[in-house]
Amino acid sequence: MSVQERKQRERAVRERLIVATARELAEQQGWDAVTTRRLAERIEYSQPVLYSHFRGKREIIGAVALEGAAEMAAAVRAAASAANSPRERVAALARAYLDFAERNPAVYDALFQLDGGLAYAQEDTPEPLKDAFAALMESLGEVAGDGVHPGLFTEVFWAALHGLATLTRAGRLPRGDAERRVELLVDRLAVT
């Protein structure tokens, strides 16, 4: 291995450490606790080293969001692939999405609430974000209904899931009715 290859590998390891540490700190204490000074202390590197990877917190949030998008896409696909019918796939997708949001609140915030400097629904949208949307559309497109654009239907269904996730997390909706909400959403919105 050349010196340059070793340095590139070490740089990639440091970058993953920064992202993992930011994510861990955000999940434990919230995004306000994530500062470059605190991250530098936790990973035992200087702030200039941290800034050599990311220009600031905004880019770190973006990196966490991209990682989270890939994880969410995998979770949604795994849940949907285990189902036997279109209706079951949509219900499994909805449960997986809501479960991901509940288990990973800081990552969910990085994806959908905070400014990570990422473009959404545009030509220059990063591939992990496009893939997360595609993971939703794979199951939702088949139940959109005649004459309904699958992408548009996916946006509406996703917006409903996002609303359920954020309102439940904020305590605006009682957690005990989560499954009934999923069933209602699937039965009323998804044509099966």
Side-chain angles (χ1 to χ4, degrees), residues 118-126 129-130 133 155 158:
L118 303 173
Y120 285 78
Q122 298 185 22
E123 198 171 300
D124 61 341
T125 297
L129 298 178
K130 288 179 182 179
F133 186 78
E155 290 171 352
W158 170 32

Side-chain angles (χ1 to χ4, degrees), residues 22-81:
R23 181 176 175 167
E24 179 183 313
L25 187 57
E27 291 293 2
Q28 290 171 354
Q29 300 176 28
W31 278 104
D32 287 343
V34 179
T35 64
T36 54
R37 178 183 303 245
R38 217 157 175 203
L39 285 174
E41 288 171 3
R42 283 216 175 177
I43 65 172
E44 298 179 346
Y45 284 101
S46 68
Q47 282 184 288
V49 169
L50 197 131
Y51 282 117
S52 73
H53 291 273
F54 300 98
R55 284 183 274 185
K57 183 175 175 176
R58 181 178 186 220
E59 284 189 4
I60 294 169
I61 290 169
V64 170
L66 293 176
E67 186 177 272
E71 291 172 13
M72 186 177 68
V76 164
R77 283 189 174 110
S81 71

Side-chain angles (χ1 to χ4, degrees), residues 11-30:
R11 181 173 175 75
V13 167
R14 270 194 316 271
E15 193 165 299
R16 284 192 302 271
L17 177 62
I18 293 166
V19 172
T21 304
R23 181 176 175 167
E24 179 183 313
L25 187 57
E27 291 293 2
Q28 290 171 354
Q29 300 176 28

Side-chain angles (χ1 to χ4, degrees), residues 68-83 88-101 103 131-140 158 161:
E71 291 172 13
M72 186 177 68
V76 164
R77 283 189 174 110
S81 71
E88 287 177 16
R89 275 190 288 284
V90 173
L93 171 149
R95 288 184 196 101
Y97 182 97
L98 294 170
D99 184 57
F100 180 86
R103 281 190 348 266
D131 188 54
F133 186 78
L136 296 173
M137 195 161 68
E138 288 163 12
S139 293
L140 295 170
W158 170 32
L161 289 175

